[in-house]
Amino acid sequence: MGYGASISRGIRLATRPYVIWFDGDNQHRVEDLILVAQTLIAQDLDYCIGVRTGDSYQEPSRWLGKLVLRWAVNYAVGSSVADFNSGLRGFRRSVILKYLNFLPKGFGASTVTTLLMLERDHVGAEVPIVVHARQGRSQVKQLRDGSRTLLIILRIFLLFKPLRFFGGIGAALILLGLVYGLYRAFAEGLGFPTLGLLSIVAGLQSFFFGLLADQISMARLDNLD
């Protein structure tokens, strides 16, 4: 079925108030799962994520891909996220049920739920965990699954903050057009260049497109409440 599809099915079939998932390749410790469960229930949280400490095993070949994904997640959220794709996390079932349609069928469910919980201002916590080296061979293909995860992050970003995305592009185009146009106008004395005007117009179009997308986003998010 795929990683995300299997998790979604398990959550739908669950009957308890809370659900927790963790990887089945012997990376995670049972005591860490218990810690996540106790924290989730004792503090009456919407979610709890196990954050890997410095003592945890790190796959050497994935540091560059994780660096790129971490930058993308931090930019989308607007703040630093400690461990965006930890495989050990728990949720209040009534909360996570609303977002199952956003979860990809393959890998990326952990990253998506991190973004969703933060963007929707759900009450949560992080607890330190230790991760061991996995047993068996990983099914993750770095280039394929990494690019898919980046696309998922972009989709979530556009769902929650389209104005920031398109507005940022628009502001950059307007600034570029103004700087270029004024430089050419004063340096050559031939008036404001056409390329500068086109850049400014494109920036304005991007900004107003972001405004329109923001209204659509707000209408969609209202249906989740």
Side-chain angles (χ1 to χ4, degrees):
M1 294 180 64
Y3 184 86
S6 300
I7 287 174
S8 296
R9 184 175 183 182
I11 293 173
R12 288 191 176 97
L13 294 176
T15 58
R16 301 287 181 165
Y18 298 94
V19 291
I20 300 176
W21 79 65
F22 77 152
D23 298 334
D25 51 12
N26 217 34
Q27 287 193 88
H28 298 296
R29 306 182 303 175
V30 174
E31 53 264 39
D32 288 333
L33 185 147
I34 294 173
L35 177 60
V36 169
Q38 290 175 339
T39 304
L40 187 65
I41 297 171
Q43 299 184 26
D44 195 29
L45 301 172
D46 293 330
Y47 70 94
C48 182
I49 297 176
V51 175
R52 288 166 284 191
T53 65
D55 297 330
S56 297
Y57 174 79
Q58 298 283 346
E59 186 68 42
S61 62
R62 294 184 181 178
W63 71 270
L64 181 59
K66 288 191 174 183
L67 183 65
V68 174
L69 291 177
R70 182 176 292 108
W71 175 86
V73 170
N74 290 343
Y75 180 75
V77 174
S79 61
S80 179
V81 179
D83 195 348
F84 64 91
N85 66 342
S86 169
L88 173 52
R89 53 188 60 216
F91 302 90
R92 189 190 303 274
R93 183 173 176 270
S94 59
V95 170
I96 193 63
L97 271 175
K98 298 187 296 184
Y99 304 112
L100 292 185
N101 289 334
F102 294 102
L103 268 60
K105 292 183 178 180
F107 292 103
S110 298
T111 302
V112 169
T113 53
T114 297
L115 292 170
L116 289 169
M117 294 299 108
L118 292 174
E119 289 297 331
R120 297 294 286 172
D121 294 323
H122 287 292
V123 180
E126 298 173 345
V127 296
I129 63 172
V130 175
V131 173
H132 301 304
R134 67 170 45 88
Q135 292 185 0
R137 192 174 69 177
S138 174
Q139 299 298 314
V140 176
K141 304 296 183 182
Q142 294 190 49
L143 184 59
R144 180 198 65 188
D145 294 310
S147 59
R148 288 178 179 175
T149 302
L150 276 175
L151 182 59
I152 291 168
I153 294 172
L154 177 60
R155 287 174 176 171
I156 298 296
F157 187 28
L158 292 180
L159 173 64
F160 289 101
K161 298 179 180 179
L163 183 56
R164 181 181 175 187
F165 181 81
F166 292 106
I169 295 176
L173 288 172
I174 292 172
L175 180 62
L176 181 64
L178 283 173
V179 171
Y180 172 77
L182 292 174
Y183 172 78
R184 291 290 303 273
F186 284 107
E188 300 178 2
L190 297 176
F192 206 86
T194 303
L195 183 59
L197 288 174
L198 288 175
S199 180
I200 293 173
V201 171
L204 289 172
Q205 288 179 329
S206 178
F207 176 76
F208 286 112
F209 183 80
L211 282 177
L212 176 61
D214 190 63
Q215 297 300 311
I216 297 173
S217 171
M218 291 176 63
R220 287 192 64 192
L221 293 176
D222 285 341
N223 293 330
L224 295 177
D225 297 325

